[in-house]
Amino acid sequence: MPDALQPVFRALGDPTRRDILRLLGQEPMTIAEVADNFAMTRAAVKKHLVVLSDGGLITVAPRGREKVNSLNALALKPALEWMGWFDQFWDDRLDALKTAIEKETTDDTGHNNG
Amino acid sequence: MPDALQPVFRALGDPTRRDILRLLGQEPMTIAEVADNFAMTRAAVKKHLVVLSDGGLITVAPRGREKVNSLNALALKPALEWMGWFDQFWDDRLDALKTAIEKETTDDTGHNNG
DNA sequence: CTTAAGTGATACCATTTGGTATCTCAACAT
DNA sequence: ATGTTGAGATACCAAATGGTATCACTTAAG
């Protein structure tokens, strides 16, 4: 898959969807609850939720006749890591430091602490 | 400005534009040089470059009759910082640690969540 | 069963988007 | 001056996008 993070960036490309993510960061919500925070119909919000779900940014769980949408912030990591590639242009000194550290740890478990 | 980072996310929403950014990360290029790396016309690439420039992700400098496009990775920071808000959902333990440190200075009630 | 509430699925619309084709302008080489 | 090359500007097109309206389905409540 040449560009697996396209659905993520695609989902982040709309301000309403970014707002929805922040909203769901507070607490899981049904479609109606989410839609109550925006000046558009439930159907429109639902479309945004589909795009978000398509990008893996939210998970949807049925609760009776409702659908509870929960944030899955972990899906943001690929996009964040893609951006991380550009760190080298922000601060070369810090990048040199990281490179030096990486040379010491030839382990490939991919531990990524901040 | 309610959403100043919209142009940035908008620019990142297209895979071609993300590829262009990586490409310009190697070295500044003219429009023709950039277009030489994609299976589309110069005009199409130019449009992408306009979007990227609109998001501040690249800078354009004339050199003779050519236009040299250079990466401006610093413009990614607002988007990165927006994503940083979701760090709290990635690693609760780290967040709890940070919270604990903050509590040391405020001497709040010892309300610990498991 | 009947009714209401929450959701899913279409159909439809206006606008944006990604792309090409084409023309013109500016700069370099001869 | 002339021809060539890089780039800007338009016009144009097909497809995607964001949104509404509407209807069907499912679940909860009487």
Side-chain angles (χ1 to χ4, degrees):
Chain A
M1 40 185 141
D3 203 348
L5 46 80
Q6 170 59 16
V8 179
F9 276 115
R10 188 258 211 257
L12 293 177
D14 185 273
T16 299
R17 287 195 286 268
R18 290 198 301 276
D19 287 344
I20 291 177
L21 286 182
R22 295 293 285 257
L23 201 60
L24 293 180
Q26 300 174 14
E27 58 178 352
M29 293 184 187
T30 66
I31 298 177
E33 283 172 337
V34 174
D36 201 47
N37 289 272
F38 297 92
M40 65 184 73
T41 63
R42 270 182 304 112
V45 170
K46 171 61 162 52
K47 281 191 177 182
H48 285 304
L49 290 173
V50 168
V51 176
L52 287 171
S53 175
D54 196 52
L57 292 166
I58 64 171
T59 58
V60 188
R63 186 183 60 188
R65 66 179 163 182
E66 298 174 341
K67 289 291 184 67
V68 181
N69 303 272
S70 302
L71 174 68
N72 179 28
L74 211 62
L76 281 174
K77 269 202 169 180
L80 198 67
E81 287 169 0
W82 182 89
M83 286 191 183
W85 183 82
F86 295 90
D87 281 350
Q88 58 187 299
F89 302 102
W90 297 347
D91 193 339
D92 289 341
R93 295 157 301 176
L94 184 59
D95 183 64
L97 181 62
K98 287 197 300 183
T99 302
I101 293 175
E102 285 174 356
K103 280 185 178 178
E104 292 181 358
T105 67
T106 55
D107 183 277
D108 71 333
T109 52
H111 270 259
N112 183 14
N113 58 4
Chain B
M1 34 186 151
D3 203 347
L5 46 80
Q6 170 60 15
V8 179
F9 275 116
R10 188 258 210 260
L12 293 176
D14 184 273
T16 298
R17 287 194 286 267
R18 291 197 301 277
D19 287 345
I20 291 177
L21 287 182
R22 295 293 285 257
L23 201 60
L24 293 181
Q26 299 174 15
E27 57 179 354
M29 294 183 186
T30 66
I31 298 177
E33 285 172 336
V34 173
D36 201 47
N37 289 271
F38 297 92
M40 65 183 72
T41 63
R42 270 184 302 113
V45 169
K46 171 62 163 50
K47 280 191 177 182
H48 285 304
L49 290 174
V50 168
V51 175
L52 287 171
S53 175
D54 196 52
L57 292 164
I58 65 171
T59 58
V60 188
R63 187 182 59 188
R65 65 178 165 183
E66 298 174 342
K67 288 290 183 68
V68 181
N69 303 272
S70 303
L71 175 67
N72 178 28
L74 211 62
L76 281 174
K77 270 201 168 181
L80 198 66
E81 286 170 359
W82 183 88
M83 286 190 183
W85 184 83
F86 294 91
D87 281 351
Q88 56 187 304
F89 302 103
W90 296 347
D91 195 340
D92 288 343
R93 293 158 301 176
L94 183 59
D95 182 63
L97 180 63
K98 287 193 299 183
T99 303
I101 293 173
E102 288 173 354
K103 278 186 177 178
E104 284 183 3
T105 63
T106 60
D107 189 37
D108 202 336
T109 64
H111 181 264
N112 272 10
N113 56 355

